[in-house]
């Protein structure tokens, strides 16, 4: 059986890329990263995702932490 | 999640306001929060000339954009600190942003003023950030006063304000608690200071910057020690997570119920200021800090 494509998540601030075999929603991603709803922007294709949005196999997502330095 | 105003797909979820918004409606929400801050605290009118301090970060650029779109009489002011690793990029970004927005911009060059930050760093023993902060505030104020501006606006957001209030409260610092707030009236030698983004969280300004196409990445200052406030902010965010709206409420209640008492206490025993012998701007010493550094660098 062909494997579904994984989800790539770029953590912008940390400069790291994570690969998840499967993610269901943005909320699940936030939980995995131990981040709250308003701790970061979850970006996909130039759009922001609210926690309830579904994540599809093969999605490329960027997580931009918003807590500023200083 | 659907937009609370128009029913389209929401892109911004705001538990603190029990709402979610699509990009267009979120920008409306953002504008209203700014307007409300300006009116409620009588910051400035549409006609009065005001300055916006522009570091190049998302908060100050979002603030300038919003004030320009709302038709205020604003001019940006950028301070070029003269740090080779970060200043040219920050300055270029601010210049390009203002040009695209059609906003007036003034740039003050710390090297021409005799206080480039790398040289200052080499001659002071105190942490450079506290000195650099003083120099920036001094020049913002001086520029505003010398050029007849009614106020200077900075991009401090709710998280900045609440983080600072929390720190000042932990120390019960009467001096700082007496004048912390979104709007500080002008007085002898000091121009009025306003923080029109104080009702908006860091997340909300980041979302606004993203949705407005304000590119946020700039090379950080090499002297920045990273996130010093972050622990406190995390604590406040945890509180907010458990009880949405807690941050704004803590801050607004302070302004309403507590600050007047600290103001009264400070009036009874504050530090006296007099004009600096060299530059004429207020100081608690004979010659102000900035003039002393400038003379040292001679
Ligand atoms: S981090 Fe750099 S720019 Fe910011 S206050 Fe410190 S020295 Fe100044
Ligand atoms: Zn909408
Ligand atoms: Zn002076």
């Amino acid at each position: 059986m062909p494997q579904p494509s994984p989800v790539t998540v770029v953590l912008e601030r940390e400069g790291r890329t994570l690969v998840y075999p499967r993610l269901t929603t943005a909320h699940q991603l936030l939980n995995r990263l131990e981040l709250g709803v308003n701790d970061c922007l979850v970006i996909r294709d130039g759009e922001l995702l609210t926690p309830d949005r579904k994540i599809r196999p093969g999605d490329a997502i960027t997580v931009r932490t918003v807590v500023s330095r200083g | 999640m659907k937009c609370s105003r128009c029913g389209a797909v929401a892109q911004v979820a705001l538990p603190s306001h029990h709402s979610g918004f699509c990009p267009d409606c979120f920008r409306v929400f953002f504008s209203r929060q700014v307007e409300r801050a300006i009116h409620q605290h009588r910051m400035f009118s549409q006609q009065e000339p005001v300055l916006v301090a522009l570091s190049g970060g998302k908060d100050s650029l979002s603030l300038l954009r919003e004030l320009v779109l709302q038709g205020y009489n604003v001019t940006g002011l950028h301070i070029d600190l003269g740090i080779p690793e970060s200043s040219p990029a920050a300055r270029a970004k601010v210049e390009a942003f203002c040009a695209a927005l059609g906003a007036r911009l003034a740039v003050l060059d710390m090297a021409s003023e005799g206080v480039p930050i790398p040289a200052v760093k080499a001659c002071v023993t105190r942490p450079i950030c506290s000195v650099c902060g003083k120099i920036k505030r001094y020049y913002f104020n001086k520029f505003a006063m010398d050029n007849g501006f009614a106020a200077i606006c900075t991009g401090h957001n709710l998280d900045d304000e609440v983080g600072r209030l929390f720190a000042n409260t932990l120390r019960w610092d009467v001096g700082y608690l007496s004048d912390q707030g979104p709007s500080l009236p002008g007085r002898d030698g000091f121009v009025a200071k306003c923080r029109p983004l104080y009702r908006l969280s860091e997340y909300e300004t980041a979302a606004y910057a993203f949705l407005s196409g304000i590119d946020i990445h700039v090379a950080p200052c090499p002297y920045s020690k990273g996130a010093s406030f972050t622990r406190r902010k995390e604590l406040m965010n945890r509180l907010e997570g458990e009880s949405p709206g807690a941050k704004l409420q803590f801050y607004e209640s302070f302004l309403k119920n507590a600050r007047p008492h600290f103001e009264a206490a400070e009036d009874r025993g504050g530090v006296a200021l007099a004009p600096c012998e060299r530059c004429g701007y207020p100081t608690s010493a004979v010659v102000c800090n900035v003039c002393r550094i400038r003379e040292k660098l001679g």
Side-chain angles (χ1 to χ4, degrees):
Chain A
M1 235 180 40
Q3 292 286 311
S5 351
V7 177
T8 340
V9 177
V10 175
L11 305 180
E12 207 175 52
R13 173 76 54 92
E14 294 77 5
R16 274 197 303 145
T17 302
L18 304 173
V19 177
Y20 294 96
R22 205 179 106 84
L23 279 174
T24 53
T25 58
H27 184 248
Q28 192 192 33
L29 172 61
L30 293 176
N31 280 346
R32 297 262 174 102
L33 298 172
E34 295 181 27
L35 289 170
V37 194
N38 289 165
D39 289 345
C40 64
L41 304 179
V42 180
I43 304 165
R44 180 180 67 196
D45 297 333
E47 262 193 16
L48 299 179
L49 302 184
T50 52
D52 58 307
R53 293 288 290 278
K54 296 228 172 352
I55 292 180
R56 299 174 298 246
D59 272 356
I61 290 180
T62 301
V63 171
R64 181 177 293 170
T65 316
V66 301
V67 180
S68 63
R69 319 146 200 271
Chain B
M1 178 182 246
K2 292 221 158 58
C3 173
S4 314
R5 281 182 85 237
C6 76
V9 176
Q11 287 198 34
V12 184
L14 300 180
S16 323
H17 296 273
H18 311 285
S19 324
F21 294 114
C22 72
D24 286 344
C25 295
F26 176 68
R27 277 186 290 259
V28 172
F29 161 84
F30 193 93
S31 294
R32 292 207 175 140
Q33 295 295 323
V34 172
E35 254 185 273
R36 193 162 157 194
I38 294 172
H39 290 154
Q40 215 164 34
H41 295 276
R42 291 171 221 231
M43 293 183 179
F44 41 83
S45 68
Q46 291 261 335
Q47 293 75 35
E48 283 175 296
V50 296
L51 271 180
V52 178
L54 299 174
S55 61
K58 68 176 182 359
D59 295 340
S60 59
L61 297 183
S62 297
L63 173 61
L64 179 75
R65 179 181 191 276
E66 199 42 49
L67 295 178
V68 167
L69 295 183
Q70 290 191 25
Y72 284 99
N73 182 5
V74 285
T75 301
L77 175 59
H78 177 69
I79 292 192
D80 184 328
L81 297 170
I83 304 171
E85 296 90 332
S86 55
S87 300
R91 177 174 179 162
K93 187 180 164 186
V94 168
E95 286 173 341
F97 181 82
C98 290
L101 191 63
R104 282 185 299 271
L105 172 68
V107 177
L108 276 178
D109 203 335
M110 291 303 99
S112 329
E113 298 292 335
V115 284
I117 299 303
V120 173
K121 185 177 191 292
C123 94
V124 296
T125 48
R126 279 168 299 157
I128 184 60
C129 291
S130 88
V131 183
C132 175
K134 271 213 175 80
I135 291 176
K136 284 188 278 199
R137 285 192 297 276
Y138 173 89
Y139 281 102
F140 282 141
N141 184 62
K142 183 175 183 324
F143 186 87
M145 295 291 287
D146 291 352
N147 295 282
F149 286 93
I152 180 141
C153 304
T154 50
H156 293 87
N157 59 43
L158 179 63
D159 293 85
D160 299 324
E161 286 299 280
V162 169
R164 213 153 70 89
L165 175 58
F166 192 51
N168 292 338
T169 306
L170 287 177
R171 292 195 314 271
W172 292 116
D173 190 318
V174 177
Y176 283 123
L177 287 166
S178 71
D179 69 2
Q180 187 180 348
S183 163
L184 194 65
R187 59 197 152 96
D188 259 356
F190 290 108
V191 70
K193 296 184 185 73
C194 306
R195 300 175 167 178
L197 296 185
Y198 89 92
R199 302 181 57 85
L200 291 149
S201 70
E202 202 133 54
Y203 172 82
E204 288 157 350
T205 27
Y208 179 87
F210 176 83
L211 295 172
S212 308
I214 298 175
D215 143 53
I216 63 162
H217 191 78
V218 272
C221 172
Y223 311 140
S224 157
K225 282 196 299 294
S228 61
F229 258 22
T230 300
R231 265 269 214 35
R232 211 175 297 135
K233 282 183 175 170
E234 266 170 23
L235 209 64
M236 299 305 298
N237 283 343
R238 210 165 332 135
L239 194 67
E240 179 76 23
E242 277 162 30
S243 126
K247 284 194 287 202
L248 188 57
Q249 211 198 354
F250 173 57
Y251 190 70
E252 294 278 30
S253 308
F254 159 75
L255 292 179
K256 190 160 156 273
N257 301 328
R259 198 180 76 170
H261 299 288
F262 291 109
E263 268 171 310
E266 184 68 4
D267 279 346
R268 289 193 297 271
V271 201
L273 296 178
C276 160
E277 267 189 3
R278 303 280 190 279
C279 71
Y281 280 95
T283 174
S284 53
V286 179
V287 175
C288 80
N289 261 310
V290 174
C291 286
R292 270 186 303 192
I293 294 172
R294 209 189 286 120
E295 280 165 12
K296 215 159 146 187
L297 290 174

